[in-house]
Amino acid sequence: MLYAYGRHHSVLTSSSSSSFHDQEQESSHSNHRLYRYNHEPVSSNLLSRDISSILILLFFLFLLVISLSQILVVHTSRYGTNFSAMQKVQEELKQMDESMEALLRNNVLPIDKWRLLFQIQTYLYRFELLFDTFNNQTKTNITIKQLLKPLLNKSDELLLQENNSNHLMNNIKNVQNRLVALIDDDEYYQWKNREIKNNYTNNNYNKRKRNYCQEEPRYLRGRYLDENSTFPNVSLYEIETNYTNVRSGGQWSPSHCIARHRVAIIIPYRDRFEHLVTLLYYLHPILQRQELDYKIYVSEQTGNGTYNKAVLMNAAFIYGLSEYDFQCFVFHDVDLIPEDDRNMYSCPIFPRHMSVAVDEMNYKLTYEELIGGVFNIRPDHFLTVNGYSNLYWGWGAEDDDLYYRLKELSIKVIRPPATIARYKMLAHTKRVPSIWNKRAKLLYSAAKRYTWDGVSSARYNLTSAIAYPLFTHLLIDVGVPPPGFS
């Protein structure tokens, strides 16, 4: 029995162990199969470990938002009080593109042909005197018609080539009308200039007895102003009284010698009468000690509209060159007073930037492209780069634009030593410059626009030209800015 019981028990034991082993395997397989689908809640320990990393992430996100908000505040304070102002600037930049395209379509005159017309118009008024002198010296019977016929033929060729340009046709027809008037009134002009010729011959005879002035003038004083110098409170009448040797219109030339240089001084001007008087007080004696044949033009913009300094300088250049055969033009800011008369206003071979060291800028050149302030340039170089751009409405950057034009055509800009080219800037209220986005857009395309934007495309009305004792006053109406340029 015990044996039977033991055997039976062993059988039961073995069977129970085998069944338990089977159940355990089945349980393990079922657990393996259901492991992926176990959706029991995460334990509290695991959740506590993740909370710290989440908080750190939120903290860094908060710092990022704060930083972006600070950058946005600085950005809006610098470029505008709100984004609507920025959007307005973008719209004006788009209008600038449209305006420049319109100017390119309707206002383009080929620069080489414009220079030809300008030269014809410039020298027409001088032709009468030259013809009369030539006809008497050579004892020939050459008529005005014979000399002017080639000019008429050339203008006819231009009309045929550019018959679609209204502006060009009007200019050419204006020249032709003046040429025809000269031909028709041949006898009248000869009679009119007979007395002028005699005076011209006498003056030439007197000049032949004089020698040219010395290359280095003898009466220079060197530096006559320093950092502590003050400016006298003088009136324009007092200056006129002291310089009675200056001819009407602000012109002077030495009487003891023949000047080596013929210089036009152009001062763009607006609402700075006190500055103008101070500049004239110092400029006239400097130019006379340098023994120059010079004339001063003050080009003022009429009205209270947006200022356009470039158009004023282009207009004064055209007027001055039509009056006299100047060898160079000096564009001079009204608030800069030279400290040293060894800084020569004579005509150099290359364009010369004269205001290298200004007290307002600690007598240092702030950047290489700077040629503003006082700039000296020959007419041929000025016409080659087409003068100043007319698109800079407001204050600033038209001088930088001229630098890029000169650089594009490989015309070198020279500078005298900073120890001599020193200027004092008169105290004045700083004007708000034009929007930088607009200036940067124009400067970026400066080298590409010179063929159609400049002195050849300047649009203005000469309201008046009055010869005062110390200067010639030109009153210029520059019109209104195109859309996007205001």
Side-chain angles (χ1 to χ4, degrees):
M1 291 293 294
L2 291 174
Y3 174 77
Y5 174 79
R7 184 179 179 182
H8 180 71
H9 179 73
S10 62
V11 171
L12 291 175
T13 305
S14 61
S15 63
S16 63
S17 61
S18 62
S19 64
F20 178 78
H21 180 70
D22 293 339
Q23 291 179 0
E24 184 178 359
Q25 287 183 351
E26 184 178 359
S27 174
S28 64
H29 287 305
S30 64
N31 290 338
H32 178 71
R33 287 193 303 269
L34 298 177
Y35 179 77
R36 300 186 273 188
Y37 306 99
N38 191 1
H39 298 286
E40 294 182 1
V42 181
S43 64
S44 59
N45 293 332
L46 180 61
L47 184 61
S48 63
R49 288 198 304 268
D50 291 342
I51 287 177
S52 60
S53 60
I54 293 173
L55 290 177
I56 293 174
L57 179 61
L58 290 176
F59 177 73
F60 280 108
L61 288 176
F62 176 75
L63 291 180
L64 180 62
V65 171
I66 294 296
S67 301
L68 290 176
S69 63
Q70 293 295 325
I71 294 174
L72 185 62
V73 169
V74 174
H75 181 77
T76 54
S77 63
R78 181 176 180 181
Y79 295 103
T81 56
N82 48 46
F83 286 105
S84 62
M86 297 293 295
Q87 186 177 4
K88 181 180 178 181
V89 171
Q90 295 299 325
E91 293 175 355
E92 291 180 350
L93 291 175
K94 184 178 180 181
Q95 291 178 350
M96 285 178 61
D97 291 333
E98 297 174 352
S99 299
M100 283 192 288
E101 291 179 1
L103 291 172
L104 186 59
R105 289 193 306 266
N106 304 327
N107 198 27
V108 172
L109 189 64
I111 185 61
D112 54 343
K113 296 176 181 178
W114 181 87
R115 280 197 291 259
L116 175 61
L117 286 174
F118 177 70
Q119 290 172 357
I120 294 174
Q121 292 174 337
T122 299
Y123 291 105
L124 265 177
Y125 84 98
R126 306 175 191 169
F127 179 78
E128 306 166 13
L129 183 59
L130 293 175
F131 168 76
D132 189 58
T133 304
F134 173 79
N135 197 21
N136 285 275
Q137 288 181 353
T138 57
K139 306 299 181 183
T140 60
N141 293 322
I142 299 177
T143 63
I144 289 179
K145 185 175 183 179
Q146 291 174 330
L147 292 178
L148 294 184
K149 190 63 177 176
L151 296 179
L152 286 172
N153 295 336
K154 188 64 178 179
S155 61
D156 290 334
E157 294 177 4
L158 291 175
L159 280 175
L160 293 176
Q161 294 174 4
E162 299 289 338
N163 53 5
N164 293 326
S165 177
N166 294 329
H167 177 69
L168 178 59
M169 292 177 64
N170 292 334
N171 278 276
I172 296 175
K173 290 178 180 178
N174 183 32
V175 171
Q176 285 185 330
N177 293 334
R178 295 176 64 183
L179 293 175
V180 172
L182 281 175
I183 295 173
D184 293 340
D185 299 335
D186 188 0
E187 295 181 357
Y188 169 74
Y189 282 115
Q190 289 185 10
W191 172 83
K192 175 184 176 182
N193 290 311
R194 186 172 293 112
E195 184 177 356
I196 299 176
K197 177 194 70 67
N198 294 331
N199 295 333
Y200 178 81
T201 303
N202 294 332
N203 290 335
N204 278 346
Y205 177 75
N206 294 330
K207 285 184 178 180
R208 281 195 292 269
K209 296 190 298 184
R210 292 185 296 164
N211 295 324
Y212 280 97
C213 299
Q214 295 182 1
E215 294 184 2
E216 296 183 2
R218 296 173 295 177
Y219 304 106
L220 298 180
R221 296 166 46 187
R223 185 180 299 180
Y224 59 92
L225 292 178
D226 55 27
E227 294 83 355
N228 300 321
S229 299
T230 58
F231 301 109
N233 186 14
V234 296
S235 65
L236 190 61
Y237 176 76
E238 293 175 347
I239 303 176
E240 295 174 358
T241 304
N242 294 332
Y243 294 98
T244 55
N245 57 346
V246 177
R247 296 191 296 273
S248 178
Q251 189 170 8
W252 183 90
S253 60
S255 58
H256 62 279
C257 61
I258 302 174
R260 291 179 176 271
H261 304 276
R262 300 182 299 273
V263 185
I265 311 294
I266 294 178
I267 305 173
Y269 169 82
R270 191 182 197 184
D271 300 333
R272 301 267 187 95
F273 182 73
E274 294 81 6
H275 292 175
L276 178 61
V277 173
T278 304
L279 177 60
L280 294 174
Y281 175 80
Y282 286 100
L283 196 56
H284 274 290
I286 290 176
L287 299 176
Q288 292 181 13
R289 290 198 296 269
Q290 294 182 359
E291 297 178 339
L292 302 173
D293 181 2
Y294 71 89
K295 187 172 184 178
I296 296 179
Y297 297 90
V298 176
S299 184
E300 180 181 5
Q301 178 174 331
T302 182
N304 297 320
T306 305
Y307 189 65
N308 194 318
K309 180 181 177 182
V311 174
L312 296 180
M313 293 187 288
N314 286 336
F317 172 84
I318 293 175
Y319 185 88
L321 195 58
S322 65
E323 268 201 332
Y324 193 53
D325 188 18
F326 291 108
Q327 294 172 311
C328 62
F329 285 77
V330 178
F331 298 94
H332 204 300
D333 283 358
V334 71
D335 56 358
L336 290 181
I337 308 300
E339 297 183 4
D340 198 317
D341 59 6
R342 293 172 296 177
N343 189 14
M344 299 298 294
Y345 283 73
S346 56
C347 301
I349 299 177
F350 296 105
R352 178 194 292 160
H353 179 221
M354 302 181 62
S355 54
V356 178
V358 182
D359 64 340
E360 186 76 11
M361 304 174 185
N362 297 321
Y363 293 103
K364 296 180 180 179
L365 188 67
T366 54
Y367 56 95
E368 182 64 25
E369 295 82 4
L370 177 62
I371 58 174
V374 183
F375 188 65
N376 191 337
I377 187 171
R378 287 182 174 271
D380 53 345
H381 289 151
F382 192 80
L383 293 174
T384 299
V385 299
N386 202 5
Y388 287 94
S389 169
N390 303 305
L391 301 180
Y392 289 89
W393 293 86
W395 295 86
E398 66 280 334
D399 303 305
D400 297 338
D401 187 285
L402 181 62
Y403 175 85
Y404 289 120
R405 295 180 178 217
L406 294 168
K407 184 178 180 180
E408 174 69 15
L409 296 176
S410 300
I411 301 177
K412 181 181 179 181
V413 176
I414 61 177
R415 291 184 172 94
T419 55
I420 295 177
R422 296 166 59 93
Y423 285 81
K424 291 184 70 69
M425 181 176 289
L426 298 174
H428 62 280
T429 303
K430 302 293 183 181
R431 298 182 184 269
V432 178
S434 56
I435 299 176
W436 168 245
N437 297 30
K438 297 182 179 180
R439 289 184 290 166
K441 186 179 185 64
L442 291 174
L443 287 174
Y444 182 76
S445 61
K448 302 176 182 178
R449 296 194 326 273
Y450 81 92
T451 57
W452 58 271
D453 169 32
V455 66
S456 65
S457 61
R459 294 292 175 265
Y460 61 91
N461 291 321
L462 180 60
T463 304
S464 64
I466 303 176
Y468 289 104
L470 296 178
F471 60 92
T472 297
H473 181 226
L474 306 177
L475 195 58
I476 308 295
D477 180 10
V478 301
V480 296
F485 286 87
S486 58

